[in-house]
Amino acid sequence: MAGSHICTPLGRPPFRKPSSLLYYQDGPPHAVDIDTWRLNVRGLVQRPLSLTYADVQRLPRVTMNRRTVCVCNWSVRHDYGGVLLKDVMALASPFETAHDSFLRQESMGTAEKGTYASTVRLGPALERAALLCDTIDGRSLSLERGFPLRFIDFGLYLYKCVKGLSCLELTTTWELGEWEARAGYPLDGTIKPKKYWICDLEDRRLATTPGEIKDF
Ligand SMILES: Nc1nc2c(c(=O)[nH]1)N[C@H]1C(S)=C(S)[C@@H](COP(=O)(O)O)O[C@H]1N2
Ligand SMILES: [Mo]
């Protein structure tokens, strides 16, 4: 559909976080069978992986209180729990140096709407402690919020961070995903310094530097 947007423009201040359904172009999946779900890691890796949910849970766990930001200018801070991208990458053992490679994330999607993909630079994602997230504020993700696993690079707008993950692929190409291209969003996706609606603080605040918002 020409001129469609990933993010529906917001009419008035979102003092509550906008519904996740508004921003879930390919989903949410109707149901996920956690016994057959896999996180596949492939591409330029020495050891391709097909991790079960239990395999993911066995990796070292972290919880980080950080802020995510939607390109529609709202932001929310939570305790995001899961495993570090770095630990999954260490298992898969990339061929390329992280500096030169890209991480393409793809969702499970739905039969009707297909999948959602986005590609980020691997090196900066690792440096920023990007997360494969499976809990928010201590609770398992709902289908709407990306069950069973979602990628989050906190320095990038959320359109670069795929929910309902099925595959991580290491590549040497940096391309927009279909949904991102339709919406006309930039390939890079670094969070811009400007004013955002801060849902958790019920306030509008100015982020003064590009990248992850750490000041409030
Ligand atoms: N699979 C998938 N992941 C996605 C999207 C999507 O459409 N499909 N939208 C992104 C966008 S634009 C936003 S704002 C966030 C919303 O996540 P939330 O549920 O935490 O609000 O999901 C991101 N991840
Ligand atoms: Mo978004």
Side-chain angles (χ1 to χ4, degrees), residues 92-112:
S93 177
F95 280 116
E96 302 286 316
T97 61
H99 196 73
D100 300 328
S101 50
F102 300 97
L103 181 76
R104 181 179 184 275
Q105 319 141 52
E106 190 171 349
S107 74
M108 291 175 282
T110 57
E112 307 82 67

Side-chain angles (χ1 to χ4, degrees), residues 6-8 22-23 25 69-74 116 157-160 185:
I6 290 181
C7 298
T8 305
L22 273 179
Y23 306 100
Q25 303 302 313
V69 186
C70 172
V71 73
C72 300
N73 296 341
W74 57 267
Y116 184 105
Y157 288 121
L158 281 173
Y159 73 83
K160 301 299 300 182
Y185 292 147

Side-chain angles (χ1 to χ4, degrees), residues 6-7 17-20 23-27 68-71 74 76 80 107 116 136 144-146 150 158-164 179 185:
I6 290 181
C7 298
K17 183 190 156 303
S19 161
S20 294
Y23 306 100
Y24 211 149
Q25 303 302 313
D26 52 327
T68 54
V69 186
C70 172
V71 73
W74 57 267
V76 68
Y80 293 93
S107 74
Y116 184 105
I136 295 180
E144 287 84 357
R145 292 212 85 181
R150 62 187 292 181
L158 281 173
Y159 73 83
K160 301 299 300 182
C161 305
V162 173
K163 304 201 285 194
W179 291 103
Y185 292 147

Side-chain angles (χ1 to χ4, degrees), residues 68-90:
T68 54
V69 186
C70 172
V71 73
C72 300
N73 296 341
W74 57 267
S75 169
V76 68
R77 181 178 277 283
H78 286 294
D79 284 333
Y80 293 93
V83 302
L84 290 170
L85 174 67
K86 139 174 115 42
D87 289 330
V88 171
M89 283 300 128

Side-chain angles (χ1 to χ4, degrees), residues 2 8-9 15 38 40 53 61 93 95 105 121 124 126-127 131-132 137 153 174 177 180 183 206 212:
T8 305
F15 283 148
R38 295 288 182 275
N40 294 301
Y53 193 66
R61 293 197 56 84
S93 177
F95 280 116
Q105 319 141 52
R121 292 190 294 161
L126 294 172
E127 281 157 28
L131 184 68
L132 297 170
D137 294 338
D153 179 331
W174 196 14
E180 298 173 298
L206 178 67
E212 182 171 358

